[in-house]
């Protein structure tokens, strides 16, 4: 075993939380090249210290817990963006609506006529009213038709 590996044995290393802290440190460092703000420098140093501390930490259980907590928060924060991405990607196939009562997400396939629509939540049988702004039908143009034009 090399000296480095021996030193690293039983140490925690890098995880997603450390990556975030390190990226934040880099951003602060770059900002620091242009503007000198004492507190910002201190925050940067503190972040770097935490990253190094976590890297060499032997309390793997505690570090894992911290990382899990971070991942949970990150998932919560990123969820709306994920939904926006999904809604955009599937904008021609379906409309997504959330049941206010049980928070189940319903996938309502298009095409829908424009206007106020009613549907029932399959989980809690709650009646859902929603406004559909789109009237879309997926048109399939065959090669034959295209050739006629
Ligand atoms: Zn429901």
């Amino acid at each position: 075993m090399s000296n480095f590996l021996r030193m690293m044995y039983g140490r925690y290393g890098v995880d997603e939380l450390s990556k975030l802290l390190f990226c934040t440190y880099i951003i602060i460092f770059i900002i620091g090249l242009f503007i000198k703000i004492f507190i910002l420098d201190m925050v940067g140093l503190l972040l770097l210290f935490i990253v190094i501390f976590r890297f060499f930490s032997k309390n793997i259980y505690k570090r894992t817990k911290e990382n899990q907590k971070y991942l949970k928060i990150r998932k919560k924060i990123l969820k709306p963006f994920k939904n926006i991405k999904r809604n955009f990607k599937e904008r021609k196939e379906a409309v997504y609506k959330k049941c206010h009562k049980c928070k189940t997400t319903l996938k309502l396939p298009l095409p829908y006529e424009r206007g106020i629509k009613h549907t029932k939540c399959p989980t809690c049988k709650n009646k859902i009213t929603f406004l559909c702004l789109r009237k879309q039908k997926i048109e399939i143009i065959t090669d034959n038709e295209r050739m006629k034009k």
Side-chain angles (χ1 to χ4, degrees):
M1 228 196 279
S2 73
N3 281 340
F4 179 72
L5 281 177
R6 200 175 298 134
M7 188 183 74
M8 280 313 295
Y9 183 75
R11 310 276 183 176
Y12 183 67
V14 182
D15 63 4
E16 289 299 308
L17 177 58
S18 287
K19 276 182 203 166
L20 172 83
L21 295 174
F22 191 69
C23 285
T24 314
Y25 163 73
I26 295 289
I27 291 165
I28 287 174
F29 179 79
I30 291 167
I31 293 169
L33 293 177
F34 299 100
I35 350 163
K36 278 282 157 224
I37 304 166
F38 178 71
I39 292 170
L40 208 61
D41 285 348
M42 286 297 109
V43 172
L45 274 177
L46 184 71
L47 288 175
L48 190 63
F49 174 76
I50 294 168
V51 171
I52 293 166
F53 169 76
R54 296 187 82 249
F55 188 83
F56 289 107
S57 174
K58 281 188 167 176
N59 195 341
I60 289 163
Y61 176 76
K62 213 171 173 185
R63 301 290 88 79
T64 308
K65 270 269 152 81
E66 287 165 2
N67 190 49
Q68 279 170 350
K69 219 182 229 173
Y70 159 66
L71 289 177
K72 223 171 155 184
I73 294 166
R74 186 173 79 172
K75 202 177 164 189
K76 229 180 203 172
I77 293 170
L78 292 181
K79 211 182 166 191
F81 297 101
K82 247 186 175 170
N83 287 351
I84 289 168
K85 200 176 154 194
R86 176 202 64 195
N87 292 357
F88 184 75
K89 218 173 142 190
E90 295 181 31
R91 68 193 183 280
K92 282 184 178 166
E93 287 110 57
V95 180
Y96 286 89
K97 292 286 159 195
K98 208 170 191 179
C99 171
H100 298 297
K101 223 171 171 181
C102 68
K103 308 290 177 207
T104 304
T105 304
L106 308 178
K107 185 180 181 177
L108 309 162
L110 287 169
Y112 261 108
E113 292 286 317
R114 271 195 205 96
I116 295 163
K117 304 286 160 199
H118 304 278
T119 188
K120 209 183 223 176
C121 172
T123 314
C124 68
K125 310 288 176 226
N126 179 35
K127 261 189 197 168
I128 299 164
T129 306
F130 67 95
L131 183 67
C132 189
L133 297 170
R134 285 174 293 174
K135 181 186 175 185
Q136 283 170 325
K137 204 169 181 181
I138 304 159
E139 281 178 77
I140 300 161
I141 304 166
T142 61
D143 282 338
N144 286 341
E145 273 177 274
R146 209 179 287 157
M147 269 178 229
K148 272 180 215 164
K149 284 172 190 172

